[in-house]
């Protein structure tokens, strides 16, 4: 928990100009060249002079670090300092040089210093100077600092000023270094709170106040699941990187079955699928990265699906560890694969040898991120393994313990992070297996159903508490920017509110942190600043942090206005995504559009999206949508106006800041145009229920088309999209423009008369064939559910297909009820092989054919047992 500052003053005082004017030039130099107190063999005049000067400096609460590009301070570490402590000193050195042009020397406690200020870093054990200062002055490190907290304290030693940056551990020293750097930034800018990478203009002098500051993290685990720059992670106090190695989400390239690519061991040479040169290059890169992370106090976790699809070479060379071939369309050959047989001792022997080879290859690796989920786990269907039955899950747990025990035989301190726990494969309702895991094992769940932008994280508090009482840790995978990919939105307000709700809930025991959330593109990085810092300081004034960041990048006049626009847009978009303003159905109940979660821009635009909107079957729904869009448009227009006005008065710090702001302007206006377009569509629907409104309906559709066209220049103007599925910027832009063009073309050819539902002059030649009023009860389901739907005509054939979120069909219910009017069909929640589906979100498509007419609709269901 952040303890806060004790007596630290952030006001930026100036040295007494009157005193300086009264000194001779020689004495001015002596002010900055006083020797250390261990070598005070100087003249009485110099000693008296320095004492006077430093008493004055102390009274003005200002300590010189650098003046006119010249160092006035020295960095000191212990003679036997660790790599982490040296890194901490180097970071201070780097930032001071960046701020002032002055490069501070780094010396050990055995070397003499020649500056009036010394910045001493280390633990009392690693740096004897700190231990001596503790003995001489009586200051101590409290137990509340824990393993990662730090203490920064200014001490006057004779004529010398000592700034101590100390902690109980090396990692704490690193964080203390960043605390000192942030104090330097505050001294230069007057802004607080700040972060180490805030934009700071080059200064002629850096003078810092006296400090007495202690701080410690609120949450012990501050993680990312992406491959991030090690410096960024350290500077924002992130201590875990949980997605290292290859992570494709397929179980093919990132599964245990292909993990041979991480080692260069002769025993596994015959099981490799790739050339040795390519493998050795990967190994060298990973070794360097893991070492870099470790030097910065960051635990690297290598990600692996357990068990994943075996390499092709292993299938040929070691059939003795595999089960029989099973069909699976998402496999490497898109036909079938040979899964590992968890019951075979030979497999466990191979697993043990592979894991130990990996641990030996990477001394800098901190742990394994082991995940079992869906078909990436690659079940063996033999009678001994038992697939997803209780017997099968017990076998899979045996695999986990084989991996864990093998790693700990080499490194007893090796760590583990298990995702997918008690969800799909790793069932453990009673916590039997969790109790056998090493203390401190990490578990996780996503924020909400799938990381959507909401305040309530919706996490299983009883499970968190149960695991916490066992001595384990639980982290929450935070909001995900994929809600609006390839764009971004500011979600900090939602995130802060949700995190604090959990932090203040006394029932929550064992919650150990949140992953960093937000995009790295555009101004989406602002979310990353807040989510990283809030893990450390739960009382963080996130509004002030964001405002300070934007002031530093765009000036004091523009910064607050930019932030206000981004926050309004964030809340507005979160409101929209809660129900898509009633215009989209997520699963497509209205019509045949909007497949998927409808949270990416591709699902919000295009033919399928507008077709779905125009299929709204009831006036009441359309009226709700009209009201929702009316309520959304005003604040969204406010956000667009405010950020455009701010862009005209902004003073960007650099070219990147200019591009980021320009992108934000495009995004704010893009959402206005999208809301305008969709509002016209739902208004056209409501008008269709009134007689004699043909021309008005046509005008609304024409207006919707023009608004959709107006989105395209903003798509073209965006400098940096959030990456999606590895697509390039050019591909993303082309796909979005193509989708918008398809939308415009479809709307242009749309028969507006089909919206005239209550016009006496309109009489269609035949009854259109459609499906409506689609539901399934219960939802979420445990063992079975009943689909209900209505058809406008008798169908010749009707089917219901159930899909995973990735689009893979798991079952098809054929020849189901297809009567005109009401229909219902019961389903037992099993796949085509009769196996109960795992927990998760699924989609279903109801398709019916009547003569030459075809109708279909999509719905969404969840399995939760």
């Amino acid at each position: 928990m952040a303890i806060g500052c004790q007596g630290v003053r952030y006001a930026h005082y100036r040295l007494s100009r009157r005193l300086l004017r009264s000194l001779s030039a020689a004495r001015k130099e002596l002010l900055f060249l006083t020797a250390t107190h261990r070598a005070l063999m100087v003249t009485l005049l110099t000693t008296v002079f320095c004492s006077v000067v430093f008493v004055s400096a102390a009274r003005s609460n200002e300590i010189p670090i650098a003046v006119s590009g010249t160092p006035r301070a020295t960095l000191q570490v212990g003679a036997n300092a660790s790599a982490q402590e040296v890194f901490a000193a180097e970071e201070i050195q780097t930032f001071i040089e960046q701020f002032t042009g002055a490069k501070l020397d780094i010396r050990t406690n055995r070397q003499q210093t020649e500056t009036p200020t010394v910045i001493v870093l280390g633990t009392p054990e690693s740096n004897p100077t700190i231990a001596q200062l503790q003995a001489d002055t009586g200051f101590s490190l409290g137990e509340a600092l824990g393993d990662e907290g730090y203490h920064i304290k200014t001490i006057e030693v004779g004529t010398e000023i000592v700034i101590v940056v100390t902690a109980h551990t090396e990692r704490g020293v690193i964080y203390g270094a960043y605390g000192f750097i942030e104090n330097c930034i505050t001294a230069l800018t007057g802004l607080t709170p700040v972060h180490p990478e805030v934009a700071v203009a080059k200064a002629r002098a850096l003078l810092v106040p006296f400090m007495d500051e202690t701080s410690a993290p609120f949450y012990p685990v501050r993680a990312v699941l992406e491959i991030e720059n090690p410096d960024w992670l350290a500077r924002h106090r992130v201590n875990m990187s949980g997605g290292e190695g290859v992570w494709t989400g397929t179980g093919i390239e990132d599964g245990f079955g292909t993990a041979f690519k991480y080692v260069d061991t002769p025993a596994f040479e015959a099981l490799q699928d790739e050339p040795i040169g390519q493998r050795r290059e990967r190994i060298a890169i990973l070794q360097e990265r893991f070492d870099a992370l470790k030097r910065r106090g960051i635990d690297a976790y290598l990600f692996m699906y357990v068990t994943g699809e075996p390499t092709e070479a292993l299938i040929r060379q070691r059939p003795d560890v595999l089960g029989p071939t099973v069909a699976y369309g998402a496999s490497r050959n898109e036909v079938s694969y040979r899964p590992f047989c968890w019951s075979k001792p030979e497999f466990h022997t191979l697993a043990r040898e592979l894991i130990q080879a990996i641990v030996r290859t990477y001394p800098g690796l901190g742990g394994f991120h082991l995940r079992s989920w869906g078909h990436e786990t690659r079940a063996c269907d033999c009678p001994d393994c038992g697939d997803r039955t209780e017997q099968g899950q017990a076998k899979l747990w045996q695999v986990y313990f084989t991996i864990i025990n093998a790693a700990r035989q080499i490194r007893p301190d090796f760590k583990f992070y298990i995702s997918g726990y008690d969800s799909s494969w790793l069932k453990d309702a009673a916590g039997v297996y969790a109790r056998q895991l090493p203390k401190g094992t990490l578990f996780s769940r996503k924020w909400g159903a799938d990381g959507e932008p909401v305040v309530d994280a919706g996490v299983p508090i009883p499970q968190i508490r149960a695991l916490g009482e066992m001595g384990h840790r639980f982290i929450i995978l935070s909001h995900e920017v994929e809600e609006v990919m390839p764009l971004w939105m500011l979600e900090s307000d939602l995130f802060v509110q949700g995190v604090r709700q959990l932090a203040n809930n006394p029932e929550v025991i064992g919650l150990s942190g949140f992953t960093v959330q937000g995009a790295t593109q555009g101004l989406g990085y602002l979310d990353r600043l807040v989510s990283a810092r809030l893990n450390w300081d739960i009382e963080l004034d996130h509004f002030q942090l964001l405002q300070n960041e934007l002031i530093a990048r765009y000036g004091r006049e523009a910064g607050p206005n930019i932030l206000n626009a981004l926050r309004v847009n964030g809340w507005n978009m979160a409101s929209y995504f809660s129900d898509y303003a009633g215009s989209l159905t997520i699963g497509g109940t209205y019509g045949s559009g909007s497949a998927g979660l409808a949270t990416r821009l591709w699902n919000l635009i295009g033919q399928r999206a507008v077709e779905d909107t125009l299929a709204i079957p009831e006036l009441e729904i359309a009226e709700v949508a009209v009201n929702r869009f009316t309520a959304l448009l005003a604040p969204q227009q406010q956000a667009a106006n405010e950020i455009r006005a701010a862009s005209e008065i902004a003073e960007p710090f650099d070219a990147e800041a200019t591009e980021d702001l320009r992108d934000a302007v495009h995004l704010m206006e893009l959402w206005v145009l999208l809301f305008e377009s969709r509002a016209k569509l739902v208004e056209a629907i409501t008008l269709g229920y009134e007689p004699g409104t043909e021309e008005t309906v046509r005008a609304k559709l024409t207006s919707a088309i023009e608004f959709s066209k107006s989105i395209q220049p903003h798509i073209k103007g965006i400098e940096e999209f959030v990456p999606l599925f590895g697509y390039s910027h050019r591909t993303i832009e082309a796909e979005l423009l193509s989708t918008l063009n398809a939308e415009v073309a479809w709307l242009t050819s749309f028969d507006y008369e089909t919206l005239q539902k209550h016009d006496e002059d309109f009489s269609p030649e035949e009854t259109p064939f459609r499906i409506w009023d689609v539901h399934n009860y219960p939802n979420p389901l445990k063992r079975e559910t009943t689909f209900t739907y209505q058809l406008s005509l008798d169908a010749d054939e009707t089917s219901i297909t159930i899909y995973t979120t990735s689009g893979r069909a798991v079952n098809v219910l054929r020849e189901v009820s297809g009567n005109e009017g009401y229909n219902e069909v019961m389903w037992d929640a099993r796949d085509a092989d009769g196996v109960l589906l795992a927990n998760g979100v699924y989609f279903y498509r109801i398709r019916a054919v009547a003569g030459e007419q075809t109708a279909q609709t999509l719905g969404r269901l969840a399995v939760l047992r």
Side-chain angles (χ1 to χ4, degrees), residues 369 479 597:
H369 175 181
H479 293 174
L597 294 176

Side-chain angles (χ1 to χ4, degrees), residues 29-36 40 46 50 54 113-116 159:
E29 278 301 308
L30 285 171
L31 170 64
F32 302 116
L33 294 177
T34 307
T36 67
L40 291 178
T46 301
C50 291
F54 277 104
T113 58
E114 299 171 353
T115 56
T159 59

Side-chain angles (χ1 to χ4, degrees), residues 645-714:
S647 70
E648 295 173 356
I649 60 173
E651 302 172 359
F653 183 79
D654 53 20
E656 184 180 23
T658 301
E659 290 181 1
D660 290 348
L661 182 55
R662 190 182 298 130
D663 278 0
V665 172
H666 283 303
L667 291 186
M668 300 303 104
E669 297 191 353
L670 181 154
W671 292 120
V672 171
L673 294 169
L674 179 70
F675 290 167
E676 290 275 21
S677 173
R678 299 311 180 250
K680 299 306 177 187
L681 293 182
V682 293
E683 288 170 3
I685 295 170
T686 60
L687 287 169
Y689 285 89
E690 302 175 16
T693 55
E694 298 96 326
E695 291 306 314
T696 310
V697 169
R698 179 189 293 175
K700 292 290 184 182
L701 295 178
T702 301
S703 182
I705 291 170
E706 293 306 312
F707 281 121
S708 293
K709 289 180 179 178
S710 299
I711 294 174
Q712 298 198 26
H714 294 291

Side-chain angles (χ1 to χ4, degrees), residues 291-304:
D291 290 343
L293 289 168
K294 184 176 182 179
R295 186 168 185 256
R296 289 158 176 78
I298 302 162
D299 292 330
Y301 284 70
L302 182 67
F303 175 85
M304 288 185 292

Side-chain angles (χ1 to χ4, degrees), residues 100-113:
T100 67
K103 186 173 183 178
L104 275 57
D105 282 344
I106 299 176
R107 301 190 179 185
T108 73
N109 64 297
R110 295 175 183 172
Q111 296 173 306
Q112 182 173 320
T113 58

Side-chain angles (χ1 to χ4, degrees), residues 256 300-302 304 306 348-363 365-370 398-418 437-438 441:
F256 174 83
Y301 284 70
L302 182 67
M304 288 185 292
V306 180
H348 287 268
T349 299
L350 177 65
R352 187 178 304 108
E353 293 171 350
L354 174 58
I355 288 300
Q356 293 187 341
I358 292 174
V359 175
R360 289 190 181 100
T361 300
Y362 304 101
L365 182 62
F368 285 143
H369 175 181
L370 305 174
Q398 289 179 13
V399 176
Y400 270 75
F401 285 110
T402 292
I403 292 172
I404 290 169
N405 292 334
R408 287 166 65 86
Q409 284 176 2
I410 306 300
R411 292 247 314 270
D413 63 341
F414 209 71
K415 301 176 182 179
F416 302 93
Y417 164 32
I418 296 177
L437 293 168
T441 296

